[in-house]
Amino acid sequence: MSPKLIRERHAFRQRVADVVQRHLPPGAAMAISELSFGDYRVTIDGKEYPVTLYIDPLRPARKPPKGVVMTMRSDPAPALRPRMSIDRYNPRCQPSPPRLPGLGCVDGALPNGEYAAVYFPEKTDVPDFRPGATGPSASFRYRNATVQLTVRTQEKSRAFPPIGGEQWLGVVTDRDFIELVDYWRAHPKLKGNGW
């Protein structure tokens, strides 16, 4: 890997950290993690919470899976379209079910008019011992890319981060964050481990 690419990757990661920092609660600090490329950490009240950013281009399917597509008769030229009801990247909040109990959701418009949803634990004042539990998490599709930004529970205590769903939604709907996703799409060599 060239020194120039290393500098570009670091500058990109720092810009992501700067955007997230603007939306964190007072006293929180966002930093690049040296544990693995593409990961960050938020420190709040002396506790560290891992943050993962994942950006990946969508790969076209060779054959549409059964039950995932339908014909839109209202289209002038009928075509196959994804059924959003079974898409885990549904950009709008759905009522329970299928959402798990205790899981809140907020959604909002991206600068291009598309939507993103953020799921978060409704109660953050108790530790969660379920494997894979996270704090606020956004997963959405944007211009032929899958984008995921997740803040995880603290490793030792499994405590949820004191970050609200609206704050996390503010990150992913921030024009600067979306410009970074566009920048990544234009410079795919920025991709490293984890994103």
Side-chain angles (χ1 to χ4, degrees):
M1 183 181 328
S2 73
K4 180 182 177 190
L5 182 57
I6 291 171
R7 285 191 303 273
E8 287 175 0
R9 284 182 174 178
H10 183 75
F12 178 84
R13 293 177 73 200
Q14 186 59 55
R15 289 175 59 199
V16 170
D18 292 343
V19 172
V20 175
Q21 179 68 53
R22 289 198 306 252
H23 297 276
L24 293 176
M30 177 73 172
I32 297 170
S33 174
E34 299 306 325
L35 298 177
S36 65
F37 186 78
D39 292 336
Y40 305 82
R41 68 182 181 278
V42 173
T43 305
I44 303 172
D45 296 330
K47 296 179 182 174
E48 285 189 359
Y49 304 92
V51 177
T52 304
L53 171 63
Y54 175 84
I55 306 173
D56 204 27
L58 294 176
R59 291 168 181 81
R62 292 183 186 173
K63 288 185 181 179
K66 288 184 178 181
V68 178
V69 294
M70 64 181 187
T71 301
M72 302 295 288
R73 293 183 184 170
S74 60
D75 287 354
L80 296 176
R81 301 279 189 258
R83 282 183 49 199
M84 295 304 288
S85 62
I86 57 173
D87 185 349
R88 72 186 196 113
Y89 295 100
N90 193 335
R92 303 303 296 262
C93 294
Q94 302 294 317
S96 294
R99 199 164 73 223
L100 296 172
L103 192 64
C105 182
V106 291
D107 55 32
L110 300 172
N112 70 345
E114 295 180 50
Y115 274 75
V118 171
Y119 292 91
F120 58 94
E122 290 178 327
K123 293 183 180 180
T124 60
D125 56 343
V126 292
D128 187 281
F129 297 99
R130 289 177 298 157
T134 67
S137 180
S139 294
F140 60 96
R141 291 189 173 140
Y142 173 76
R143 293 187 178 167
N144 297 321
T146 298
V147 181
Q148 295 176 320
L149 184 65
T150 302
V151 59
R152 304 197 178 282
T153 56
Q154 189 186 34
E155 289 183 33
K156 292 180 182 176
S157 70
R158 302 294 297 159
F160 288 115
I163 300 172
E166 289 286 347
Q167 289 169 312
W168 214 240
L169 181 64
V171 173
V172 297
T173 58
D174 188 311
R175 184 170 300 280
D176 291 338
F177 181 80
I178 295 301
E179 285 176 4
L180 287 168
V181 174
D182 282 331
Y183 184 83
W184 177 90
R185 290 175 62 250
H187 301 86
K189 288 186 178 182
L190 288 172
K191 184 173 180 174
N193 297 333
W195 57 274

